[in-house]
Amino acid sequence: MRFAAALLGRFLPGLGQQGSAGLPLPELLDVSRLSRPRSPNTALAAPAGFQPPPDIVTRDYDAAPEQVFAATKAAALAQPRTVLQREFTAALQAHYVVRSAMVGFPDLVMLQVLSSPDGGSQVVIWSRSVYGRSDFGVNRKRLVAWLSAIDAMLLKREDL
C-alpha cells in the first residue's frame, strides 16, 4: 500500500506524505466569503443562517471565543491522523490536515470561532477532500465526530 501511495504521490502532490507535507500552506480564510465547489466532496458545519447553507447547523456556546477556540483545537488534535497545518490565533482560525488510514489521502479542515450575537461563541468547520470527486461521506462524518468532541469539552465545562 505504501508503494502505491508513493507512486501516486509522484502525480498527486501531498499523497504518500505524512502530516501536512506536500501541501501548500493555507492563508487566512474569510468565512463570510466562503464558496463551496460543486463537487460533493466537502462538508460544512456552521450556525443557522450562515451562507452558504451548512450541512450541519452548529450550536451556540456560552463561553468566550478564546475559550471555545482552545477547546476546538484540543478536540481537533485528539482526532486520529490530524495535524495542525497553520493557525491564525488573532482571528481564532486554524487549518488542519487529516490523512486517510490506508493510503494517506489528505483532507483539509478549516475551523473558525466567531462571536455570537448574544455574547457567546459559534463554530464554523469546513472539511474538504483534496483529491477525488466523492468523499463517500467521510467529511460529514468527520464534522459529526469533531462537533461531538467539542461539545463534550465545552458542555462539560458549562455544567460545572
Side-chain angles (χ1 to χ4, degrees), residues 71-146:
T72 62
K73 289 190 320 181
L77 291 173
Q79 303 304 309
R81 299 173 310 281
T82 302
V83 296
L84 178 65
Q85 186 179 24
R86 191 163 190 190
E87 180 178 348
F88 300 95
T89 307
L92 303 178
Q93 185 178 103
H95 295 258
Y96 300 89
V97 175
V98 182
R99 297 279 180 170
S100 65
M102 295 295 286
V103 181
F105 280 104
D107 287 347
L108 306 176
V109 183
M110 184 281 309
L111 192 147
Q112 173 83 54
V113 175
L114 306 169
S115 295
S116 65
D118 65 358
S121 301
Q122 299 174 323
V123 174
V124 175
I125 309 175
W126 184 34
S127 183
R128 60 225 184 265
S129 302
V130 174
Y131 300 114
R133 178 159 171 75
S134 175
D135 67 352
F136 305 102
V138 169
N139 286 299
R140 183 180 175 81
K141 289 176 189 171
R142 177 178 300 120
L143 293 183
V144 169
W146 284 35

Side-chain angles (χ1 to χ4, degrees), residues 60-76 87 89-93 96 111-115 119-123 149-160:
D60 285 7
Y61 294 100
D62 188 24
E66 295 77 16
Q67 180 184 0
V68 173
F69 187 58
T72 62
K73 289 190 320 181
E87 180 178 348
T89 307
L92 303 178
Q93 185 178 103
Y96 300 89
L111 192 147
Q112 173 83 54
V113 175
L114 306 169
S115 295
S121 301
Q122 299 174 323
V123 174
I150 293 166
D151 284 352
M153 294 186 90
L154 290 170
L155 298 180
K156 183 167 73 171
R157 289 181 186 170
E158 289 177 6
D159 290 341
L160 296 178

